[in-house]
Amino acid sequence: MANELSPLIGGAARAADPVVRGITDEQLTLPTPCAEYDVRALLNHLFHVVVGFQALAAREAADFSTTPDYLQGEWRARFGAETGKLVTAWAAPGALEGVSPGMGLPQRTVAHMVLGDLLVHGWDLARATGQDYRPDQAALDEVRPAVDDMAPMAREAGVYGEEVAVPSDATPLEKLLAATGRDPRWSPS
């Protein structure tokens, strides 16, 4: 039986999948809101997160020291298959219980990390390639408090930038992006 987070991870994956499938080979060198990544590098990073967090769900080791090139063969279709494995891994009984041996964080926090990565990097890739992005509202609602809790540690580790100011009427997605240090108004030009 799935826990309450696995369907939300599934929703975030379903929102990111059409964006990944819509990226053309010509767009792989475009800049993204993640200044250190072009589209190719961000896709490889997101693939690596998806694969690595499958292992973390099962309390196995995940190596994030290097990022392989996942953009070989039918990588667009493979992204959907890998996110399907991710959802299954996080739906396993006990996946949210205890502490991750590899991360030293509560498993629930690790699940929130991958949920946040799917949501935010889905937007990053959509924005970089001029695509529409419709994230799951329930996933946004779930991950925002976790991102706020993780933000100081993530900023210290250089994973998040400083929070960007947004108007009080900003959307939940814009508030999430701002919390991670992204400017919701970012454009590639």
Side-chain angles (χ1 to χ4, degrees):
M1 170 139 181
N3 57 59
E4 73 277 10
L5 291 185
S6 62
L8 299 177
I9 294 170
R14 283 188 301 280
D17 188 62
V19 173
V20 170
R21 287 178 182 270
I23 295 171
T24 66
D25 290 344
E26 295 75 29
Q27 293 174 317
L28 294 175
T29 59
L30 294 176
T32 72
C34 298
E36 66 274 16
Y37 293 131
D38 64 9
V39 170
R40 172 182 284 282
L42 186 55
L43 280 165
N44 275 312
H45 168 74
L46 185 56
F47 256 105
H48 199 51
V49 165
V50 167
V51 171
F53 277 73
Q54 292 169 27
L56 292 172
R59 291 182 182 72
E60 296 171 358
D63 181 5
F64 293 107
S65 63
T66 61
T67 302
D69 185 6
Y70 291 93
L71 306 189
Q72 307 295 321
E74 297 298 318
W75 58 268
R76 291 169 185 89
R78 198 168 61 255
F79 181 78
E82 291 296 342
T83 57
K85 292 177 191 175
L86 177 72
V87 172
T88 299
W90 283 100
L96 296 179
E97 297 172 9
V99 174
S100 168
M103 302 282 284
L105 297 169
Q107 282 290 104
R108 180 174 287 279
T109 300
V110 176
H112 280 129
M113 290 170 70
V114 74
L115 177 60
D117 270 17
L118 282 166
L119 289 166
V120 172
H121 292 320
W123 176 84
D124 289 334
L125 291 167
R127 185 56 62 108
T129 59
Q131 296 185 65
D132 191 32
Y133 180 61
R134 290 192 166 88
D136 179 68
Q137 185 62 48
L140 288 170
D141 293 342
E142 174 67 33
V143 82
R144 177 62 201 277
V147 165
D148 288 344
D149 288 346
M150 288 184 279
M153 177 181 67
R155 284 190 188 94
E156 199 171 294
V159 176
Y160 290 175
E162 289 302 314
E163 186 165 5
V164 174
V166 292
S168 59
D169 64 346
T171 68
L173 176 60
E174 291 169 336
K175 290 176 183 177
L176 174 66
L177 296 169
T180 67
R182 284 165 175 76
D183 182 352
R185 298 171 307 254
W186 184 91
S187 71
S189 54

